[in-house]
Amino acid sequence: MRKLIIAIDGPAASGKSTTAKLVAQRLGYLHIDTGAMYRAVTLRVLEEKIPLDDVQKIGELAEGTQIRLERSGSGSRIYVDGRDVTTDIRSPSVTNCVSLVSSYRLVRDVLVREQRRMAERRGVVLEGRDIGTVVLPNADLKIYMVAHVTERVKRRKRDLELAGSVVDSEALEQQILERDRFDSTRDASPLRKAPDAIELDTTDLTIEQQVQFVVSRAQKILKRLS
Ligand code: DC
């Protein structure tokens, strides 16, 4: 049976990760969290104490870093140069710097090349900001997820609190809006809805409804292709 390439893009905390992970599980596909890959490079930049404006050095670091995503239980784990960094890439310092690091063309060139390679075998759900527009413009199904900022703050706050962090909603809202602004106004592959993407507003949807929406679209395409 033919396998699909599914692209899920959208702003921060719009529900991409949870949806992409569950859609991949239901279809037996591989979930590729491309934001996690930009976070992994950012973590290495911070660990190596490379100045955040040293574009050349950061590009070289990205080129020399091996990133691996592995399925594990109900989720996936991410390794840089063989080290499990699944938890470390979610730290506030990485979150604060990842928009800047991911705006560098040299970094994007390396990671986009890798993302295309991972998608070659098909049967993949990639989530990010530029999957449907730049990484895989020929994806079989493109979803652009959005949600009202108040709902996004609520979701992100719940995730952070579950991970043991204390967060202020107002500061979190500012951070999310600032990251959206930066991600959508940068020169290199800004966050944008592909013209042929289906917009899905998840503000009032349950996770199950979000997942079902994407899975049923995928099944329709698979039926047409069979
Ligand atoms: O989805 P996330 O919050 O983990 O993404 C972290 C950052 O990575 C986000 O602020 C923008 C960047 N990113 C990107 O530029 N392109 C992608 N395909 C995925 C993420």
Side-chain angles (χ1 to χ4, degrees), residues 26-221:
R26 299 233 177 131
L27 296 173
Y29 286 7
L30 181 67
H31 167 214
I32 301 172
D33 177 354
T34 63
M37 297 170 75
Y38 288 98
R39 285 174 179 272
V41 171
T42 306
L43 175 72
R44 291 294 298 127
V45 169
L46 296 175
E47 285 176 346
E48 292 298 317
K49 299 193 168 47
I50 300 175
L52 286 174
D53 58 356
D54 194 338
V55 184
Q56 197 59 38
K57 264 238 169 75
I58 292 176
E60 282 163 20
L61 180 100
E63 188 72 66
T65 301
Q66 195 216 29
I67 299 175
R68 191 160 46 87
L69 294 168
E70 233 176 56
R71 224 182 286 198
S72 142
S74 62
S76 62
R77 305 205 71 80
I78 180 158
Y79 297 82
V80 281
D81 300 326
R83 177 166 59 106
D84 187 342
V85 294
T86 313
T87 307
D88 296 354
I89 59 165
R90 304 286 160 196
S91 73
S93 52
V94 170
T95 301
N96 284 336
C97 302
V98 65
S99 267
L100 182 61
V101 170
S102 67
S103 71
Y104 297 147
R105 220 173 272 279
L106 286 174
V107 173
R108 304 201 72 80
D109 287 349
V110 173
L111 294 191
V112 168
R113 193 178 65 212
E114 190 57 21
Q115 289 154 17
R116 288 184 180 142
R117 197 189 56 74
M118 288 172 167
E120 267 170 12
R121 65 182 118 166
R122 311 186 67 83
V124 283
V125 183
L126 284 96
E127 54 146 314
R129 304 291 191 285
D130 61 340
I131 309 301
T133 50
V134 174
V135 182
L136 298 161
N138 294 325
D140 302 288
L141 174 60
K142 299 181 188 179
I143 306 287
Y144 190 80
M145 290 182 80
V146 294
H148 191 279
V149 70
T150 315
E151 179 60 25
R152 294 196 278 143
V153 169
K154 220 165 77 188
R155 292 177 189 167
R156 186 51 58 91
K157 189 167 191 274
R158 198 175 44 218
D159 288 349
L160 289 167
E161 282 174 350
L162 279 175
S165 305
V166 182
V167 277
D168 170 60
S169 296
E170 252 173 57
L172 196 55
E173 179 168 329
Q174 281 319 307
Q175 191 194 69
I176 287 177
L177 290 175
E178 177 55 21
R179 207 141 64 87
D180 286 352
R181 192 192 61 74
F182 200 93
D183 293 344
S184 50
T185 55
R186 69 184 179 212
D187 289 338
S189 318
L191 166 67
R192 203 151 288 166
K193 176 179 173 292
D196 53 347
I198 303 164
E199 183 163 314
L200 176 63
D201 186 335
T202 69
T203 309
D204 298 315
L205 297 185
T206 63
I207 290 172
E208 181 52 32
Q209 287 171 324
Q210 286 161 215
V211 173
Q212 203 38 51
F213 180 91
V214 184
V215 169
S216 67
R217 294 279 172 154
Q219 281 166 340
K220 250 190 221 153
I221 298 172

